[in-house]
Amino acid sequence: MPKVKDPGLADRGRLKIEWAKAHMPVLSIIAERFSKERPLEGVRIAACLHVTKETAVLALALKEGGAKVCLSASNPLSTQDDVAAALAEEGIDVYAWRGMSEDEYLEAIESTLKCDPHITMDDGGDITVMAHQKGYADRIIGGTEETTTGVLRIESLAKEGILRYPVITVNNAETKWNFDNVYGTGQSTIDGILRATNIMIAGKWFVVAGYGHVGRGVAMRARGMGAKVIVTEVDPIRALMAAMDGYIVMPMKEAAKIGDIFVTATGNRDVIKAEHISLMKDGAILANAGHFDVEVSVKDLELMALSRREIRENLREYLLPNGRRVYLIAEGRLVNLVAAEGHPSEVMDMSFSNQALAVEHLVKEGRSLPPKVHPVPRQIDEEVARLKLRSMGIEIDVLTPEQEKYLKSWRG
Ligand code: 9W1
């Protein structure tokens, strides 16, 4: 029996799912093929994913393929209750509601394992680990994993010789992480800043700390909106890339005096702390796009401030002893998740198409794969890119036989 917050929300959830599906062309093509070929007939899937409108499109695609899908949340706070309600009505066995307790969260995962799955789908490693701890692993053909964190946990299961079934690391597909980190986070970070502040980006000094994939995406979009972008780095190679991409590169101690908006995306702690904050201009805005909420030192802000006020939703003002005010978005937590809505559907389209094709691959080949961590097969990764291009109306060239031969030969 599915368990959701309020079945009455289903109509609203169905509209959201329909909207997401309209922007997930690749997954839609796969769903259509699945409904004709039924490659997942009789397959039971236990999935532990963020219960969002995009995940709903994935779950329904798997169902079109003939699978029975049991779904629990991969985070107690990420469930969209209307989407969960709609999925329950569509015949997905959902166990998810926003704000579930830690115990309820674990119970929900176990409920999906009681569906006696052939396949697990994971986002963070929780269902894979539980399947092994609670004795469900032997009947499972294979699994998939969506995130870096989950891949690390499952690799450590494998290293200790505990892993009993093959797991495909969707995270490492080219069409997943490149697009999530650069284009997904790039856009949604700007989106979060705009929703929290409603300020104009054009003409502002926009400081991006860290020039990894996320930093690159944020810097690119900020520039696209007319900001003057400064990048700070500690890695000489990345700093050089930023400089040659045309950004101004300088230490945070300098950038702090200039910036109107600051976004951290380094993966490290205390990137913006007291010594920087005290240099900032009146009205400076701070946001974090890195995974943990340690990049902007909220502790320093709290210690320095004479007083604080909530200005708008997700926007807190700190009054400093020098009389200046700085503004922190979403308490320094991930701005794109807290103040916006995560990755756009078009980006999830690619990672979830990898998921769907990885499940099909496991059903076909999983029994002959050794119980270790496997990359997404290259053909799947390329197929996702090909279908995405086609959906965008973009055609590309094909090598001639002569060119193929030329590339393979050492003769030149
Ligand atoms: N995943 N459909 C919050 C998302 C929480 C979340 C999280 C996404 C998607 C990063 C997956 C407030 C969606 C999800 C909307 C939302 C993620 C954590 C997606 C972005 C990752 C810890 N991680 N993701 N869409 N919550 O966007 O499934 O709005």
Side-chain angles (χ1 to χ4, degrees):
M1 273 313 276
K3 212 168 150 187
V4 301
K5 179 158 290 166
D6 176 5
L9 300 172
D11 284 345
R12 226 179 54 192
R14 205 170 282 111
L15 286 172
K16 281 193 185 171
I17 297 169
E18 193 185 318
W19 182 248
K21 187 168 161 75
H23 298 90
M24 301 178 82
V26 179
L27 198 48
S28 300
I29 291 170
I30 293 169
E32 212 162 290
R33 175 170 69 74
F34 275 10
S35 76
K36 291 195 195 101
E37 298 176 4
R38 303 282 286 183
L40 311 179
E41 196 67 66
V43 174
R44 290 185 299 275
I45 299 173
C48 180
L49 301 167
H50 300 292
V51 181
T52 64
K53 60 191 191 302
E54 291 81 18
T55 301
V57 178
L58 170 62
L60 294 171
L62 298 168
K63 184 169 170 256
E64 291 273 346
K68 172 179 162 55
V69 182
C70 303
L71 175 64
S72 71
S74 60
N75 180 305
L77 292 175
S78 62
T79 299
Q80 293 164 5
D81 288 316
D82 46 7
V83 169
L87 278 179
E89 273 194 9
E90 296 293 328
I92 306 292
D93 231 338
V94 198
Y95 304 89
W97 56 96
R98 193 181 152 83
M100 58 204 312
S101 70
E102 186 65 23
D103 283 348
E104 289 168 333
Y105 172 77
L106 294 170
E107 273 167 37
I109 297 176
E110 184 148 24
S111 299
T112 67
L113 286 170
K114 285 181 182 148
C115 296
D116 194 16
H118 302 97
I119 301 282
T120 59
M121 299 177 78
D122 211 343
D123 185 324
D126 287 344
I127 193 172
T128 311
V129 167
M130 191 186 284
H132 284 79
Q133 285 170 335
K134 304 221 166 181
Y136 294 93
D138 283 335
R139 296 203 295 281
I140 295 173
I141 301 167
T144 66
E145 167 56 51
E146 171 82 2
T147 66
T148 314
T149 317
V151 169
L152 291 172
R153 290 180 74 196
I154 296 164
E155 271 170 353
S156 126
L157 276 182
K159 217 169 271 157
E160 291 181 30
I162 299 168
L163 189 67
R164 302 295 283 269
Y165 58 81
V167 176
I168 297 184
T169 60
V170 168
N171 182 64
N172 301 23
E174 210 86 58
T175 49
K176 198 276 185 182
W177 63 269
N178 261 314
F179 293 83
D180 265 36
N181 292 339
V182 183
Y183 305 98
T185 311
Q187 174 168 307
S188 58
T189 295
I190 303 286
D191 187 9
I193 294 168
L194 293 180
R195 290 191 201 196
T197 64
N198 196 32
I199 55 156
M200 184 148 119
I201 305 280
K204 296 281 195 327
W205 286 103
F206 195 111
V207 180
V208 179
Y211 202 63
H213 285 85
V214 171
R216 221 174 82 209
V218 173
M220 185 171 26
R221 294 305 174 236
R223 172 192 275 168
M225 293 189 76
K228 296 170 287 189
V229 180
I230 297 171
V231 171
T232 71
E233 250 301 342
V234 293
D235 179 311
I237 299 170
R238 287 182 171 180
L240 187 57
M241 285 181 187
M244 293 211 180
D245 285 341
Y247 300 107
I248 305 166
V249 179
M250 63 177 75
M252 184 57 85
K253 271 285 221 6
E254 297 303 316
K257 299 178 215 160
I258 303 169
D260 298 299
I261 305 158
F262 295 80
V263 174
T264 53
T266 68
N268 213 327
R269 61 179 304 151
D270 303 331
V271 178
I272 293 177
K273 57 182 185 195
E275 62 184 271
H276 308 115
I277 294 163
S278 56
L279 296 171
M280 286 177 183
K281 300 195 291 196
D282 186 36
I285 294 166
L286 317 182
N288 169 46
H291 194 76
F292 297 109
D293 60 0
V294 296
E295 304 211 12
V296 176
S297 175
V298 181
K299 195 187 86 203
D300 281 5
L301 270 172
E302 298 281 343
L303 282 173
M304 295 166 80
L306 302 176
S307 64
R308 58 178 228 199
R309 295 190 296 168
E310 304 302 318
I311 299 296
R312 295 158 54 95
E313 195 180 349
N314 291 319
L315 189 66
R316 180 173 294 162
E317 175 189 80
Y318 290 93
L319 176 63
L320 303 176
N322 62 15
R324 298 177 199 158
R325 292 151 298 179
V326 299
Y327 296 85
L328 178 65
I329 301 179
E331 300 171 48
R333 291 177 295 131
L334 275 167
V335 58
N336 70 318
L337 298 185
V338 181
E341 294 174 64
H343 301 322
S345 303
E346 288 85 345
V347 170
M348 298 311 296
D349 187 27
M350 298 206 275
S351 69
F352 284 169
S353 293
N354 278 293
Q355 285 281 2
L357 297 177
V359 168
E360 183 185 32
H361 179 71
L362 283 170
V363 168
K364 279 197 200 124
E365 314 280 345
R367 287 182 182 82
S368 60
L369 293 175
K372 60 185 186 81
V373 171
H374 299 263
V376 170
R378 185 74 194 175
Q379 314 91 270
I380 289 182
D381 212 346
E382 284 182 7
E383 174 73 356
V384 171
R386 237 189 307 276
L387 291 173
K388 192 71 172 180
L389 282 167
R390 194 200 296 167
S391 79
M392 297 165 84
I394 298 169
E395 289 181 48
I396 60 171
D397 289 320
V398 193
L399 290 174
T400 64
E402 292 75 21
Q403 285 176 317
E404 293 239 28
K405 202 172 144 212
Y406 175 80
L407 287 179
K408 282 188 185 128
S409 166
W410 54 266
R411 286 174 208 278

